[in-house]
mmCIF file of all heavy atoms in Angstrom:
data_model
loop_
_atom_site.group_PDB
_atom_site.id
_atom_site.type_symbol
_atom_site.label_atom_id
_atom_site.label_comp_id
_atom_site.label_asym_id
_atom_site.label_seq_id
_atom_site.Cartn_x
_atom_site.Cartn_y
_atom_site.Cartn_z
ATOM 1 N N TYR C 10 7.265 13.984 15.963
ATOM 2 C CA TYR C 10 7.210 12.766 16.721
ATOM 3 C C TYR C 10 6.309 11.718 16.133
ATOM 4 O O TYR C 10 6.709 10.594 15.834
ATOM 5 C CB TYR C 10 6.883 13.119 18.170
ATOM 6 C CG TYR C 10 7.017 11.939 19.100
ATOM 7 C CD1 TYR C 10 8.206 11.515 19.665
ATOM 8 C CD2 TYR C 10 5.830 11.255 19.373
ATOM 9 C CE1 TYR C 10 8.291 10.409 20.464
ATOM 10 C CE2 TYR C 10 5.951 10.083 20.177
ATOM 11 C CZ TYR C 10 7.136 9.684 20.762
ATOM 12 O OH TYR C 10 7.232 8.596 21.565
ATOM 13 N N VAL C 11 5.023 12.048 16.003
ATOM 14 C CA VAL C 11 4.061 11.149 15.557
ATOM 15 C C VAL C 11 4.355 10.732 14.054
ATOM 16 O O VAL C 11 4.244 9.611 13.691
ATOM 17 C CB VAL C 11 2.646 11.741 15.720
ATOM 18 C CG1 VAL C 11 1.557 10.759 15.102
ATOM 19 C CG2 VAL C 11 2.283 11.926 17.129
ATOM 20 N N GLY C 12 4.565 11.716 13.201
ATOM 21 C CA GLY C 12 4.748 11.335 11.789
ATOM 22 C C GLY C 12 5.963 10.542 11.521
ATOM 23 O O GLY C 12 5.833 9.561 10.694
ATOM 24 N N LEU C 13 7.068 10.806 12.190
ATOM 25 C CA LEU C 13 8.264 10.020 11.953
ATOM 26 C C LEU C 13 8.123 8.582 12.494
ATOM 27 O O LEU C 13 8.518 7.684 11.759
ATOM 28 C CB LEU C 13 9.431 10.725 12.626
ATOM 29 C CG LEU C 13 10.827 10.325 12.084
ATOM 30 C CD1 LEU C 13 10.950 10.536 10.572
ATOM 31 C CD2 LEU C 13 11.915 11.181 12.826
ATOM 32 N N VAL C 14 7.515 8.383 13.600
ATOM 33 C CA VAL C 14 7.363 7.078 14.163
ATOM 34 C C VAL C 14 6.315 6.275 13.245
ATOM 35 O O VAL C 14 6.520 5.097 12.890
ATOM 36 C CB VAL C 14 6.821 7.120 15.576
ATOM 37 C CG1 VAL C 14 6.418 5.723 16.049
ATOM 38 C CG2 VAL C 14 7.885 7.670 16.473
ATOM 39 N N THR C 15 5.256 6.960 12.813
ATOM 40 C CA THR C 15 4.245 6.353 11.913
ATOM 41 C C THR C 15 4.844 5.917 10.688
ATOM 42 O O THR C 15 4.705 4.773 10.199
ATOM 43 C CB THR C 15 3.050 7.292 11.772
ATOM 44 O OG1 THR C 15 2.385 7.577 13.019
ATOM 45 C CG2 THR C 15 2.060 6.660 10.793
ATOM 46 N N GLY C 16 5.541 6.809 10.012
ATOM 47 C CA GLY C 16 6.136 6.520 8.728
ATOM 48 C C GLY C 16 7.132 5.404 8.762
ATOM 49 O O GLY C 16 7.193 4.501 7.982
ATOM 50 N N ALA C 17 8.072 5.437 9.734
ATOM 51 C CA ALA C 17 9.078 4.439 9.896
ATOM 52 C C ALA C 17 8.528 3.091 10.211
ATOM 53 O O ALA C 17 9.003 2.053 9.610
ATOM 54 C CB ALA C 17 10.073 4.829 10.955
ATOM 55 N N CYS C 18 7.501 3.035 11.094
ATOM 56 C CA CYS C 18 6.918 1.740 11.435
ATOM 57 C C CYS C 18 6.164 1.079 10.231
ATOM 58 O O CYS C 18 6.259 -0.083 9.924
ATOM 59 C CB CYS C 18 6.017 1.866 12.652
ATOM 60 S SG CYS C 18 6.861 2.110 14.097
ATOM 61 N N LEU C 19 5.382 1.951 9.510
ATOM 62 C CA LEU C 19 4.659 1.446 8.379
ATOM 63 C C LEU C 19 5.578 0.973 7.310
ATOM 64 O O LEU C 19 5.317 -0.071 6.606
ATOM 65 C CB LEU C 19 3.671 2.520 7.817
ATOM 66 C CG LEU C 19 2.454 2.870 8.732
ATOM 67 C CD1 LEU C 19 1.660 3.970 8.114
ATOM 68 C CD2 LEU C 19 1.601 1.583 8.959
ATOM 69 N N ALA C 20 6.709 1.642 7.102
ATOM 70 C CA ALA C 20 7.684 1.191 6.093
ATOM 71 C C ALA C 20 8.268 -0.161 6.544
ATOM 72 O O ALA C 20 8.459 -1.046 5.720
ATOM 73 C CB ALA C 20 8.793 2.184 5.977
ATOM 74 N N SER C 21 8.474 -0.370 7.880
ATOM 75 C CA SER C 21 8.985 -1.612 8.315
ATOM 76 C C SER C 21 7.962 -2.778 8.165
ATOM 77 O O SER C 21 8.378 -3.942 8.159
ATOM 78 C CB SER C 21 9.393 -1.505 9.857
ATOM 79 O OG SER C 21 8.266 -1.463 10.626
ATOM 80 N N TRP C 22 6.686 -2.379 8.023
ATOM 81 C CA TRP C 22 5.670 -3.379 7.734
ATOM 82 C C TRP C 22 5.613 -3.767 6.207
ATOM 83 O O TRP C 22 4.927 -4.667 5.850
ATOM 84 C CB TRP C 22 4.284 -2.836 8.096
ATOM 85 C CG TRP C 22 3.988 -2.655 9.583
ATOM 86 C CD1 TRP C 22 4.940 -2.785 10.600
ATOM 87 C CD2 TRP C 22 2.808 -2.334 10.188
ATOM 88 N NE1 TRP C 22 4.382 -2.534 11.833
ATOM 89 C CE2 TRP C 22 3.040 -2.248 11.619
ATOM 90 C CE3 TRP C 22 1.553 -2.091 9.780
ATOM 91 C CZ2 TRP C 22 2.006 -1.949 12.508
ATOM 92 C CZ3 TRP C 22 0.521 -1.781 10.611
ATOM 93 C CH2 TRP C 22 0.827 -1.728 12.019
#
Side-chain angles (χ1 to χ4, degrees):
Y10 184 83
V11 174
L13 200 52
V14 172
T15 299
C18 286
L19 289 178
S21 73
W22 292 9

